[in-house]
Amino acid sequence: MGYDARFRVWRGDAEGGALQDFTVEVNEGEVVLDIIHRLQATQAPDLAVRWNCKAGKCGSCSAEVNGRPRLMCMTRMSTFDPDEVVTVTPMRTFPVVRDLVTDVSFNYEKAREIPSFAPPADLKPGEYRMKQQDVARSQEFRKCIECFLCQDTCHVVRDHEDNKNAFAGPRYLMRIAELEMHPLDAADRREMAQEEFGLGYCNITKCCTEVCPEHIKITDNALIPLKERVVDRKYDPIVWLGNKLFRR
Ligand code: SF4
Ligand code: SF4
Ligand code: FES
């Protein structure tokens, strides 16, 4: 059965903005993105919102619903009390372009900085062989839809713009972990993870894992194993001695 909901939506641009109140019809089975589309159709034709699939797969409709990073197309209106005010704001970690649309280019810049897969030079593509369990490990990370909700929620950059240079965020530390654990990747990515991409800033709070719509265990399966590898490299006495001798 339909009802009228109270919505509070952030409107503005890089110069500033404010929350604007709306009363808007909600029908059975609808999600937050449906309501935003109804607002565009009936009350706010210039409301900016990014979306594509409405199926939780393109990663475009990321925003914050009642302060929690969510995909708007996967957030059912039935999860809210009809009397509740539903507040929709843009992702806080990224600069606002307009209304609910943010500039997520930080993520693409970090992605470009990661050296790509580096198989052994003497191995031809048709000769790549790996165990199924190694394939399965990569496949979990490959479910990522690049919604950047994990990047948005991570406290290292959420309220600390100055950390962005030194910290790649969970999505890209996960990419480094994927490559570091890949049996055919010949590069040693442990030092770069720590020194260039800021793995040490992560204190494994698991907030990134909690908001991932693909339910990827970012912290347990990527960040913690990567930290363990970094520690192994740093405190292994043979590696330590080798580094000392090599540097001389
Ligand atoms: S576990 Fe690490 S990367 Fe994930 S939100 Fe916490 S600090 Fe950020
Ligand atoms: S790891 Fe999960 S939360 Fe992060 S960008 Fe990928 S799908 Fe989104
Ligand atoms: S519109 Fe594609 S994930 Fe929401």
Side-chain angles (χ1 to χ4, degrees):
M1 210 171 64
Y3 66 96
D4 284 341
R6 286 181 297 155
F7 256 62
R8 191 165 283 166
V9 182
W10 195 87
R11 308 286 320 268
D13 55 26
E15 305 302 314
L19 291 166
Q20 194 176 336
D21 288 322
F22 299 94
T23 300
V24 56
E25 179 190 331
V26 175
N27 298 307
E28 197 167 347
E30 288 185 330
V31 294
V32 168
L33 187 60
D34 288 316
I35 310 309
I36 295 294
H37 283 163
R38 182 161 299 122
L39 282 178
Q40 278 184 322
T42 60
Q43 301 180 51
D46 61 341
L47 173 62
V49 57
R50 189 186 278 131
W51 71 285
N52 257 292
C53 69
K54 203 170 172 277
K57 287 296 160 206
C58 72
S60 308
C61 68
S62 303
E64 301 193 5
V65 182
N66 289 350
R68 190 176 162 79
R70 306 290 304 250
L71 293 179
M72 285 187 280
C73 73
M74 299 304 283
T75 306
R76 291 192 170 278
M77 286 304 299
S78 58
T79 57
F80 305 107
D81 192 285
D83 295 332
E84 193 176 344
V85 178
V86 179
T87 303
V88 187
T89 48
M91 285 193 285
R92 188 159 109 190
T93 299
F94 308 115
V96 168
V97 176
R98 195 157 71 85
D99 301 336
L100 300 177
V101 176
T102 51
D103 176 357
V104 293
S105 51
F106 162 78
N107 301 287
Y108 302 120
E109 284 156 22
K110 293 295 174 184
R112 271 195 295 271
E113 287 170 16
I114 300 171
S116 54
F117 175 57
D122 56 349
L123 211 59
K124 296 187 186 65
E127 295 169 353
Y128 292 1
R129 298 283 182 274
M130 54 198 281
K131 289 182 181 166
Q132 183 55 41
Q133 69 194 68
D134 291 322
V135 175
R137 190 185 299 122
S138 286
Q139 275 174 341
E140 183 192 8
F141 305 143
R142 291 272 166 163
K143 287 193 302 179
C144 174
I145 59 171
E146 306 241 292
C147 65
F148 308 131
L149 291 176
C150 58
Q151 303 281 93
D152 178 46
T153 206
C154 178
H155 65 92
V156 176
V157 283
R158 187 170 170 85
D159 291 312
H160 303 281
E161 184 68 26
D162 46 329
N163 283 344
K164 281 187 176 170
N165 269 346
F167 185 67
R171 196 276 165 256
Y172 295 103
L173 290 169
M174 180 175 85
R175 172 66 179 152
I176 296 170
E178 179 192 342
L179 290 166
E180 175 59 28
M181 291 189 258
H182 196 299
L184 296 176
D185 186 77
D188 184 345
R189 297 168 188 273
R190 293 173 293 182
E191 188 171 353
M192 75 172 79
Q194 189 75 3
E195 304 300 331
E196 294 169 42
F197 293 96
L199 180 64
Y201 284 82
C202 166
N203 54 0
I204 57 172
T205 51
K206 301 196 187 188
C207 314
C208 49
T209 302
E210 282 170 21
V211 298
C212 177
E214 286 295 314
H215 308 293
I216 303 170
K217 292 195 168 62
I218 307 168
T219 322
D220 286 352
N221 291 350
L223 306 182
I224 292 173
L226 189 57
K227 278 178 175 283
E228 286 169 349
R229 286 172 178 241
V230 168
V231 169
D232 284 351
R233 180 184 184 278
K234 204 166 175 183
Y235 297 108
D236 182 322
I238 296 173
V239 174
W240 179 82
L241 187 63
N243 285 341
K244 286 275 175 201
L245 293 172
F246 188 70
R247 279 188 188 142
R248 274 186 192 148

